[in-house]
Amino acid sequence: MEETYLLNVEGVKKKILSGGRGELPKLQDGSKFTFHFQTLKDDFERTVIDDSREAGMPMEIIVGKMFKLEIWETLLSSMRIGEVAEFWCDAIHTGMYALVSRGMRRIAEGRDPLEGQKHRCGMGNMFDYHSTGYDDLDELQRTPQPLIFIMELFRVEDPSAYKRDTWAMSKEEKMAAVPVLHSEGNRLVLRREFAQAAAKYQEAVICLRNLQAKEKPWEEGWLKLESLVTPLVLNYCQCQLELGEYYEVLEHTTELLQKHNDNAKAYFKRAKAQAAVWNEREAREDFQRVAHLDPSMAAAVKKELKQLGERMRKKHVEDRKRYQGLFQSSQGV
């Protein structure tokens, strides 16, 4: 099994270190590879650059989703389940490795892999970086070179066999996922599991926003999607109110009202958040807008304004006592 042979790809050699089982997996758009890998320099010491086992998690990539290091999809497609193979890849295939490695390292460190990137193509981002933050990767950027990848393929899953991340879904899959996520969020709210419910609503919103990005703003397709987004954002904000994340509510309701300034429910949730962070004037203004836009909510507004007045009076009393105490202690000094 140590025979070295060329893949039908220029600048690639493969050596099977341990044979796999069965036939080559049948792949389709959306199939997912799960594997461990080790990256080495093609030098005398075979210097190790990255090792996914040391990072503590296997790697996953989705077929047909334009993974930055395209050659990896080709390499994995040549492997059987359980196979361990070593691939030598010429520099024509490894130019993006520093960027890919940077992202993987940041994830392993619990950091945002996209922090500091501009919204441009991967190659454009390469030139934006003065440094990757890692000396060995900076060297790879300066001097592209052949690399050796040792890969162990664990499994290949069909698109229907695993929960797909939003970015990996087709348009049809995203639209189908939205009502399911909405329903799951509602069910979790009834169980008062607000953090989990918020995550479901947020995932549904991301699906819709991704689709909306392909439409012209304010045209029919965009508006149809926006009508689905709005109740999900409001549900998300209600969960954040329950969790005490008031500034999160202020951010999302304000963004919503910039597009839909007649949405009484958005004003109501923003007013509650304003009241919670002691913005009395802003809270009263928003509550008044609610009563004007939707008279059926007048009773709820009246109750909230009464509670706000009581809270503010209590706060003023406590503040006076605190200031008096500070004044008296300073006089004593």
Side-chain angles (χ1 to χ4, degrees):
M1 300 301 291
E2 294 186 357
E3 178 188 3
T4 299
Y5 62 94
L6 298 174
L7 290 177
N8 189 27
V9 180
E10 181 183 356
V12 176
K13 296 178 183 179
K14 176 181 178 181
K15 179 191 294 183
I16 296 176
L17 304 181
S18 177
R21 57 186 181 274
E23 300 296 321
L24 288 174
K26 294 180 179 178
L27 303 174
Q28 56 182 303
D29 243 25
S31 295
K32 181 169 74 172
F33 292 112
T34 303
F35 60 100
H36 268 307
F37 75 94
Q38 194 176 46
T39 304
L40 304 89
K41 286 187 176 182
D42 183 23
D43 56 14
F44 182 77
E45 297 84 6
R46 288 169 62 95
T47 305
V48 176
I49 300 172
D50 289 306
D51 189 332
S52 61
R53 286 186 173 80
E54 287 188 5
M57 56 181 171
M59 183 71 182
E60 296 176 349
I61 65 172
I62 309 295
V63 173
K65 296 304 176 182
M66 296 180 69
F67 182 63
K68 289 185 178 69
L69 201 63
E70 293 181 15
I71 193 62
W72 273 16
E73 186 175 316
T74 302
L75 305 183
L76 290 162
S77 299
S78 77
M79 299 177 69
R80 292 172 171 78
I81 306 299
E83 181 178 324
V84 182
E86 176 178 311
F87 300 91
W88 177 91
C89 294
D90 200 354
I92 60 172
H93 298 298
T94 64
M96 294 297 291
Y97 184 77
L99 183 60
V100 171
S101 176
R102 177 186 186 272
M104 292 187 294
R105 291 185 189 186
R106 292 180 72 86
I107 291 170
E109 293 164 3
R111 299 159 68 191
D112 180 0
L114 300 179
E115 182 182 319
Q117 284 197 30
K118 299 180 181 179
H119 294 290
R120 294 170 55 187
C121 69
M123 189 59 74
N125 276 319
M126 286 283 284
F127 293 112
D128 285 330
Y129 296 136
H130 296 293
S131 171
T132 63
Y134 304 94
D135 291 342
D136 57 340
L137 299 183
D138 288 345
E139 179 193 345
L140 290 181
Q141 280 199 160
R142 286 191 299 268
T143 56
Q145 56 196 266
L147 294 174
I148 297 167
F149 303 112
I150 300 176
M151 295 177 161
E152 180 178 1
L153 181 60
F154 294 134
R155 59 181 174 272
V156 177
E157 298 169 274
D158 289 338
S160 60
Y162 66 93
K163 184 180 183 300
R164 303 178 72 185
D165 292 332
T166 300
W167 64 266
M169 293 180 180
S170 67
K171 176 181 178 179
E172 292 74 20
E173 289 169 331
K174 288 173 184 171
M175 285 302 298
V178 168
V180 175
L181 291 165
H182 197 159
S183 178
E184 289 176 352
N186 293 347
R187 178 177 55 81
L188 289 163
V189 166
L190 292 174
R191 291 163 51 179
R192 301 191 65 78
E193 297 178 17
F194 297 112
Q196 295 88 333
K200 296 294 183 182
Y201 296 136
Q202 185 178 44
E203 188 175 351
V205 169
I206 290 171
C207 284
L208 293 169
R209 291 295 191 211
N210 287 345
L211 294 172
Q212 220 175 16
K214 297 178 174 62
E215 302 286 343
K216 288 188 177 181
W218 303 106
E219 292 194 358
E220 184 179 355
W222 188 94
L223 289 169
K224 182 178 179 181
L225 293 167
E226 185 69 12
S227 70
L228 299 174
V229 167
T230 299
L232 288 163
V233 172
L234 291 172
N235 287 358
Y236 173 83
C237 288
Q238 183 59 43
C239 291
Q240 298 303 322
L241 281 173
E242 297 286 352
L243 294 166
E245 298 291 344
Y246 304 118
Y247 290 102
E248 182 87 355
V249 176
L250 292 175
E251 177 185 348
H252 289 284
T253 51
T254 298
E255 181 182 348
L256 191 62
L257 288 165
Q258 287 171 351
K259 299 175 185 174
H260 312 287
N261 61 5
D262 60 347
N263 192 302
K265 290 181 178 179
Y267 278 117
F268 189 78
K269 295 183 193 305
R270 189 171 75 170
K272 287 176 71 71
Q274 299 281 21
V277 297
W278 307 105
N279 294 339
E280 181 181 11
R281 179 180 60 81
E282 292 86 348
R284 289 187 180 279
E285 288 176 356
D286 279 351
F287 279 131
Q288 288 164 3
R289 287 193 187 98
V290 173
H292 174 73
L293 289 167
D294 188 351
S296 70
M297 298 181 71
V301 167
K302 184 177 179 181
K303 179 182 177 182
E304 292 290 341
L305 286 171
K306 182 180 178 181
Q307 291 178 351
L308 175 60
E310 291 171 353
R311 288 182 69 239
M312 296 307 301
R313 281 191 292 274
K314 183 177 179 181
K315 183 177 186 294
H316 292 327
V317 169
E318 291 174 350
D319 287 347
R320 279 199 300 272
K321 287 180 180 178
R322 188 178 302 111
Y323 294 144
Q324 286 172 357
L326 289 171
F327 179 75
Q328 288 169 359
S329 64
S330 65
Q331 289 289 329
V333 175

